[in-house]
Every structure is written in C-alpha cells, then in structure tokens.
RNA sequence: UGGGGCGUCGCCAAGCGGUAAGGCACCGGAUUUUGAUUCCGGCAUUCGCAGGUUCGAUCCCUGCCGCCCCAGCCA
C-alpha cells in the first residue's frame, strides 16, 4: 500500500533510537478518550501511529484512556473501534483500557507516598489554584505538604474507601512549587470522584489523572514511542519523572502538531454541541468532520489515509485547506466510481426529427476502464438536460447549448437547438432540437467540430431520486476565530432536491459511490435510502474549471 | 513579562555544513463523447531578520522579531 515513506522528524528519532539500541522494536499506541466520536484529526494520529508500527514491523495498540468516568461512555468505545477498523487498521490482540490498570496505578501511588514523593492535600480547589502562583510568580507550598507518610497512607486509603465526598482531598506529587513549568508544581495525581465508570462500575471512587496514568500505561504495554500532540510538550518532564520515580520501562514521548482544517471545527466539545443542539443530525451527519460522517458522506478510507500521508507531520502549527482533503477523495473515486447520468435541474428537450421510439444505447461504466463493462441507456424523443447547459444568449467561451448551437449528448447524438419555448413569465421551459442521426458513436462526416458535451436522461424513463447536496459546514475559514462559532454556520450546508436519473441508478446498493457525469460523486445513503425511495449524498463535486472562467 | 515550542514558495513539507525534493494551489500547452481524467512544461539566486564562525551555512554560534502552548481535582 505504501511505498517510500516520507522522511519526518519522528522517523528520524525512531531511526536513531533503533541504531543506538535504546529500543529493539517499535511499539506505538493510539490512545483515545471515549468521550466523543473520532474526527479527521484523530485520523492523522491513527495513520501516524499504525503507519509507523507497520513501517517498522512493530505493533500499535488501541488503548482507551478512560480515566474520567464523568465524561466517558461505552457508546463511544464501540464507535471508535468501528472507525479505526474502517480506516483499515488492526490492533490484533492489543486492545487495552486504562481502567484495566487502575489497581496497578493505585499501587504505584502508594509506592510514591511511601517514598515521600506524594502527599494528600486537603486544600480546596480554589486554595490550590491561589497557591499555584502564576506564569511569572512561583507557587507556595501547601500547608499539608509535610504530612507524614503514615498519615498520607491512611488518608489515601480512606479516599479509596469512599469515606470522603468529591473534592475533599486530592493526592499530589511532591515535586516543586517553584518550578517555572506549571505542570511540575505538585500536580494532582488522584481525585475523588463518586461516579459510575462505564467499565469498572462503582468499584472505584478515586481516579488517576491523565499525567499519572498515561506514561505508566505506555510503560506497562512496553510502548517505545508515545506520540501525542504539541500541548503535551510541557508535560513530558512529568511523564519522565513518574516512570523514573517508579523505576519502570521508559517510553519516549514525541509531540507533533495536530491537524487544523479550514472551514471546520475540531474540538470534541464543539462537535458534541453541534449534535446535541441539532445543528446537524448526528455524529455521522455527512457534514461532520468525524470519521463516521465522512464514511457516510462517501469518502473512501483510502482517501483519508492518502490525505494523512500527504499532509505530513511536523511541529509547526499547520492549517490545511479543505480542498486538499477533497482532492484526495476525488483521486480515489475517479479510479473506482462507475459513471452514471442524472439531471439535477431539468430542462425539457424535444428532438423533433426523432421518431416516436425507444433506442437502447450502450455506455461505458468507466471511460478509462473498459473492463468495468457497459450499461444500456434508453434514448427517446423527449429528454431532460441540465438548465445550466443552455444559455439563451451565451458568451463566446460557453460551448454548451444555445439557440442555433450544436452540442453532443453524452453517449448519444449531436443535437442542434432550433427553437426556445417560454412560458408566460418568459422562463425557458422547453427546447426544440434536431439530432444529427449520423453521429452516434462517431464525429460528423463533414468534419465540423462540436466541443460541448452535456448529460441527459430520457424523460419517459428517468427515475426520480432524492439527492442531498452538502457544502462546508461553516462559512468562515477558521470558525474558532469567530466570536461565536455557531454564528458562522453555513445555512446552506445541506440542500435537498430531486434529481432525474437514468434507470440504472436504482441498482446501486447502500454505500456504493458513483459519479454523476459532469456533476460529482454521489453515494447511496446508508441510513435513509430504500429501494422504493433512494437517497444519494453528494460526496464531492467534480473539479469545475468552467466555474472559474465564469 | 516565567517556562516550553515553532518560523523553508499562496498552503503543507523534505533538507541535518557542499551550494533549495515532492505534493496541493496557480499559469501555459497536448489529448479527451465528462469544460472531468490523463499528459507535458513553468512556478523560492533563496530558507523570519541582523551579525558571526567557515573555502563554503537553510543547516553551527549570538542577538533581535513574529507566532503557538501552559496557571483543570479535563485529556
């Protein structure tokens, strides 16, 4: 699947670690918190972690970082597993949960207390904040900082036994309240939380904090390279401190820049809000930047993988244009999608010199791949073409239909527009045309050139299908910069319309993606489409240089 | 103004002391029964700025400038 890997700073580090003998193999992990659905930003991390493991013949674990029962749910665990699998990655036997390590983590906390490296603090959250200092002022020691080991042990035990309400005490690592790195100013490592955990139920009422859990989880799994995003750079000294104090296997944490995509938001909080406040249908709404939304939209997994490969990985804050993703989608779909014809905004055409009969024309399913075979298209005297393909007073650069002009009907004849029929409002409602019946499958014998080619359907045979046209969810390039990102939602992100399609479209199955020639790629909606009432989602438009010329 | 990072073409991004890969975008042109696809060609005398070391610097040193992150009992 992948050929020459692109060099990047992470591979460089791994190469050095392997060369120096610091590690003998490569073990990575993708560690989502099950508090929401995966999005395209997670895809970058998944492709990176699983890709690196595959490239170095190592392994990659899927580990749920479920240390905060207040926000996490089983539903998310299942959705995440589905998405990672769909993206094409396999964790094999290596499925883990932070919650499986709770007992070990608790023992390690006790060990730290015994070593005089952790203490129970009984300040309130407000007092702790006040004593933490600021970016420019050092913090001050907690009055509880010098409690005896015995007292700490006893209090921590009682915390575990549920003898205190939430927030009454907290276990802190004893490091340095004056450290310029805020994360080292005696970070909280265990808090009291009387909450039901989706996997451990009511067994625990104290839960480890991220900093006290993540590195140890990596260590237990013998992870060699723990890849995370830039904001954890400041946590690395803490990460290293814990594994050093505990004397356990030390993985190397490496930070990279998370993905930012134009015209979309990536924070789970905001995505959750879009769902709960019904700005979109659901987590898998085709407008969502979630993996499940993109899947439903018709984006192939390979396109997402190619995209992640293409954007690279670095440490600088990057901003990727949505068009890069869309190009990746077209790249895959162009090769795989069968072609069909459908008219979105119909304009009637009558071929006046064509007899009252039905002809069966042959059309290739894919112009560049004859092995995909042909399909049959019914052709008759009355057709529909796209309104956009006719102009009453066309400019010179427009080479579609106009009064007296000729155009090729794709896979059929060349026609000339003789008359334009309008209704009482002056609206063009019908075109009277003549077909050159000698041009089926060949160019005019007299050598005249007809540059325009338009798509069409036979009026009597066309099938009506529901079509959903999706556009970017936000109107502003960076919705996070708006005062309120909800204010810049694109009101036209979804347009529902009926299209008239060639009969062959009805044989498409759920999940199939087809190209409506000259219009775009469309897939059968996995939720709402039925044989009786088909629903197609527009995956992405075709590139349209004419639109730019206009 | 404490600490941690980052600054190479419009957007990503290679490069690791020997004289600027690649992709996307863009601009030409060819083929084409999708104004699609495909195909050719063009596209940074220059690497945030200023000094210094060196025969030679985007790569090393110094000083500026700009941007991002950190004061959750979130991850």
């Amino acid at each position: 699947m992948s050929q020459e890997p692109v060099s990047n700073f992470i591979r460089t580090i791994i190469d050095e670690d392997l060369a120096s003998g610091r590690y003998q193999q490569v073990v990575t992990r993708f560690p989502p918190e099950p508090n929401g659905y995966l999005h395209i930003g997670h895809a970058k991390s998944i492709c990176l972690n699983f890709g690196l493991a595959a490239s170095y013949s190592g392994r990659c674990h899927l580990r749920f970082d479920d240390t905060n029962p207040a926000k996490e749910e089983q539903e998310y665990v299942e959705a995440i597993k589905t998405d990672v699998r769909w993206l094409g990655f396999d964790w094999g036997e290596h499925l883990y949960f932070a919650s499986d390590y709770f007992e070990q983590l608790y023992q390690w906390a006790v060990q730290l207390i015994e070593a005089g490296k952790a203490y129970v603090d009984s300040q309130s959250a407000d007092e702790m904040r006040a004593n933490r200092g600021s970016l420019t002022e050092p913090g001050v020691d907690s009055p509880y900082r010098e409690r005896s080991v015995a007292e700490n042990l006893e209090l921590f035990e009682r915390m575990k036994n549920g003898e205190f309400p939430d927030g009454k005490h907290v276990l802190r690592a004893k490091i340095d309240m004056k450290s310029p790195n805020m994360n080292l100013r005696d970070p909280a490592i265990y808090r009291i939380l009387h909450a039901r955990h989706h996997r451990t139920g009511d067994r625990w009422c104290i839960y480890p904090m991220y900093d006290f859990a993540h590195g140890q989880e990596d260590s237990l799994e013998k992870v060699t390279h723990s890849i995370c995003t830039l904001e954890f750079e400041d946590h690395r000294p803490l990460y290293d401190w814990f594994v050093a104090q505990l004397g356990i296997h030390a993985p190397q944490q490496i930070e990279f820049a998370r993905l930012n995509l134009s015209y979309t938001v990536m924070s789970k909080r905001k995505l959750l809000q879009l769902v709960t406040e019904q700005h979109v249908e659901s987590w898998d709404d085709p407008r969502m930047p979630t993996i499940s939304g993109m899947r439903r939209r018709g984006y192939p997994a390979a396109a997402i993988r190619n995209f992640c490969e293409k954007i690279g990985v670095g440490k600088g804050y990057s901003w990727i244009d949505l068009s890069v993703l869309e190009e990746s989608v077209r790249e895959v779909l162009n090769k795989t999608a069968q072609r069909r014809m459908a008219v979105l905004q119909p304009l009637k055409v009558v071929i006046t010199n064509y007899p009252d009969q039905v002809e069966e024309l042959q059309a290739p399913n894919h112009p560049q791949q004859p092995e995909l075979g042909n399909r049959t298209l019914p052709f008759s005297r009355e057709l529909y073409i796209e309104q956009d393909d006719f102009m009453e007073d066309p400019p010179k650069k427009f080479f579609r239909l106009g009064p007296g002009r000729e155009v090729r009907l794709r896979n059929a004849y060349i026609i000339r527009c003789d008359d334009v029929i309008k209704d009482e409002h002056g609206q063009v409602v019908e075109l009277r045309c003549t077909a050159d019946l000698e041009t089926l499958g060949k160019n005019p014998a007299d050598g005249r050139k007809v540059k325009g080619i338009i798509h069409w359907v036979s009026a009597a045979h066309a099938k009506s299908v529901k079509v959903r046209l999706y556009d970017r969810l936000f109107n502003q390039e960076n919705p996070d910069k708006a005062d309120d990102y909800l204010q810049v939602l694109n009101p036209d992100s979804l347009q529902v319309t009926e299209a008239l399609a060639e009969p062959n479209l009805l044989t498409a199955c759920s999940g199939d993606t087809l190209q409506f020639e000259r219009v775009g790629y469309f897939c059968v909606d996995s939720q709402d489409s039925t044989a009786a009432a088909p629903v197609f989602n527009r995956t992405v438009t075709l590139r349209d240089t004419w639109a730019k010329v206009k």
Side-chain angles (χ1 to χ4, degrees):
Chain A
M1 190 157 33
S2 59
Q3 38 297 85
E4 280 304 293
V6 186
S7 170
N8 64 50
F9 78 99
I10 298 178
R11 298 189 69 98
T12 302
I13 293 171
I14 292 176
D15 289 339
E16 287 167 359
D17 286 344
L18 258 18
S20 72
R22 177 176 179 184
Y23 301 116
Q24 280 69 48
Q25 58 175 343
V26 173
V27 182
T28 57
R29 97 271 92 112
F30 172 61
E33 182 189 12
N35 68 344
Y37 279 61
L38 261 24
H39 55 61
I40 184 72
H42 293 110
K44 178 178 179 181
S45 174
I46 292 166
C47 291
L48 223 199
N49 279 294
F50 280 94
L52 247 14
S55 171
Y56 286 92
S57 303
R59 60 175 202 265
C60 180
H61 302 175
L62 174 62
R63 182 180 69 234
F64 287 94
D65 217 352
D66 54 351
T67 58
N68 186 356
K71 294 183 174 178
E72 298 152 3
E73 293 172 25
Q74 189 61 31
E75 176 202 346
Y76 296 132
V77 171
E78 297 311 321
I80 288 168
K81 287 201 276 191
T82 299
D83 288 347
V84 175
R85 236 182 257 121
W86 176 77
L87 269 178
F89 298 105
D90 181 11
W91 53 87
E93 299 303 298
H94 301 284
L95 172 66
Y96 304 105
F97 291 85
S99 50
D100 286 340
Y101 308 135
F102 282 170
E103 184 60 40
Q104 174 65 261
L105 257 7
Y106 175 78
Q107 293 303 332
W108 275 332
V110 168
Q111 185 181 327
L112 230 45
I113 294 172
E114 286 168 341
K117 302 287 189 180
Y119 62 98
V120 173
D121 196 352
S122 306
Q123 294 181 104
S124 68
D126 285 342
E127 290 168 323
M128 267 182 66
R129 186 180 318 114
N131 289 334
R132 187 153 31 228
S134 72
L135 296 181
T136 50
E137 306 159 278
V140 303
D141 289 358
S142 163
Y144 304 96
R145 199 172 196 262
E146 300 307 327
R147 285 217 254 235
S148 68
V149 167
E151 187 183 3
N152 282 322
L153 248 16
E154 188 209 324
L155 282 169
F156 188 49
E157 166 98 32
R158 293 175 60 197
M159 282 168 65
K160 186 191 74 160
N161 293 339
E163 294 182 31
F164 307 112
D166 290 3
K168 182 74 180 168
H169 304 285
V170 68
L171 185 69
R172 291 231 253 174
K174 189 189 283 190
I175 306 180
D176 178 10
M177 287 305 291
K178 295 178 189 61
S179 171
N181 181 342
M182 300 294 288
N183 297 116
L184 265 20
R185 318 245 261 229
D186 290 10
I189 59 177
Y190 258 98
R191 77 290 214 181
I192 301 171
L193 229 42
H194 291 270
R196 187 175 185 81
H197 188 282
H198 66 102
R199 296 187 77 246
T200 60
D202 294 320
R203 174 147 171 246
W204 295 89
C205 52
I206 56 172
Y207 292 90
M209 299 287 290
Y210 167 86
D211 284 311
F212 191 70
H214 205 92
Q216 287 92 308
E217 294 160 14
D218 287 338
S219 183
L220 283 167
E221 295 173 18
K222 294 289 183 280
V223 165
T224 55
H225 301 274
S226 178
I227 298 164
C228 60
T229 46
L230 253 29
E231 66 269 28
F232 291 103
E233 219 150 16
D234 283 345
H235 294 246
R236 187 169 4 113
L238 229 201
Y239 183 112
D240 293 342
W241 191 85
F242 285 126
V243 294
Q245 293 302 319
L246 267 11
I248 54 180
H249 165 78
Q252 173 65 52
Q253 177 179 299
I254 303 170
E255 311 84 12
F256 73 98
R258 61 154 25 108
L259 168 67
N260 294 297
L261 245 198
S262 63
Y263 301 101
T264 110
V265 296
M266 219 70 100
S267 100
K268 282 198 207 172
R269 197 207 103 231
K270 288 175 180 168
L271 295 178
L272 177 62
Q273 186 182 16
L274 290 173
V275 173
T276 55
E277 294 181 5
Q278 316 255 282
H279 296 107
V280 296
E281 250 176 54
S282 51
W283 281 101
D284 69 348
D285 185 300
R287 290 167 293 180
M288 290 283 274
T290 51
I291 306 293
S292 51
M294 293 181 174
R295 175 166 63 236
R296 193 170 166 195
R297 173 91 170 244
Y299 285 17
I304 296 176
R305 278 187 248 116
N306 292 349
F307 169 75
C308 291
E309 186 68 29
K310 190 177 328 194
I311 59 176
V313 47
K315 298 198 68 159
Y317 281 78
S318 62
W319 199 260
I320 310 289
D321 198 90
L322 193 54
S323 64
V324 179
L325 213 208
E326 293 184 334
E327 258 315 291
S328 302
V329 172
R330 292 189 187 104
E331 198 179 309
V332 172
L333 257 20
N334 175 51
K335 295 198 190 98
T336 58
Q338 292 206 2
R339 268 97 249 232
R340 296 290 183 268
M341 288 198 287
V343 172
L344 263 42
Q345 296 180 77
L347 172 60
K348 190 172 181 183
V349 168
V350 176
I351 314 291
T352 54
N353 67 327
Y354 194 82
D356 194 12
Q357 64 169 38
V358 178
E359 193 176 357
E360 305 226 303
L361 306 180
Q362 292 298 302
N365 285 322
H366 190 120
Q368 281 84 38
Q369 290 170 233
E371 62 276 21
L372 290 178
N374 293 324
R375 65 193 197 277
T376 301
L377 285 175
F379 183 86
S380 63
R381 183 181 162 85
E382 297 195 354
L383 316 169
Y384 286 112
I385 65 167
E386 206 75 62
Q387 283 171 22
D388 282 355
D389 288 334
F390 172 81
M391 279 185 91
E392 208 178 350
D393 186 21
K396 46 272 142 234
K397 300 288 285 280
F398 185 83
F399 43 80
R400 273 109 93 155
L401 211 49
R405 292 198 181 195
E406 280 193 307
V407 80
R408 159 77 68 180
L409 291 178
R410 168 126 254 237
N411 298 125
Y413 303 94
I414 288 173
I415 59 170
R416 186 185 62 236
C417 176
D418 304 317
D419 283 304
V420 178
I421 297 173
K422 300 179 182 177
D423 63 12
E424 61 274 25
H425 308 296
Q427 280 290 310
V428 176
V429 292
E430 186 181 314
L431 265 25
R432 294 283 168 141
C433 302
T434 326
D436 179 342
L437 299 174
E438 298 306 311
T439 56
L440 184 61
K442 56 190 178 198
N443 288 321
D446 62 13
R448 68 186 199 280
K449 293 289 178 213
V450 175
K451 188 150 170 66
I453 298 154
I454 64 173
H455 56 100
W456 54 278
V457 292
S458 169
H461 306 86
K463 304 296 179 193
S464 182
V465 297
K466 184 190 263 192
V467 157
R468 299 196 286 219
L469 305 176
Y470 294 104
D471 198 358
R472 52 184 57 146
L473 228 200
F474 294 93
N475 277 326
Q476 195 162 307
E477 198 164 25
N478 182 356
D480 293 319
K481 272 197 339 213
D483 294 332
D484 176 6
Y485 79 104
L486 295 174
Q487 295 288 298
V488 295
L489 272 166
N490 176 7
D492 302 317
S493 59
L494 168 61
Q495 279 181 60
V496 181
T497 180
E498 293 286 322
L500 292 174
E502 60 170 274
N504 299 298
L505 206 60
L506 297 193
T507 60
C509 303
S510 171
D512 280 0
T513 301
L514 302 163
Q515 183 192 103
F516 292 3
E517 287 192 279
R518 302 209 312 128
V519 178
Y521 295 96
F522 290 76
C523 74
V524 179
D525 187 74
S526 56
Q527 315 277 303
D528 305 328
S529 194
T530 63
V535 178
F536 285 84
N537 298 331
R538 183 172 69 195
T539 305
V540 65
T541 60
L542 250 37
R543 283 186 63 188
D544 186 358
T545 47
W546 168 243
K548 276 186 282 192
V549 173
K550 283 190 294 188

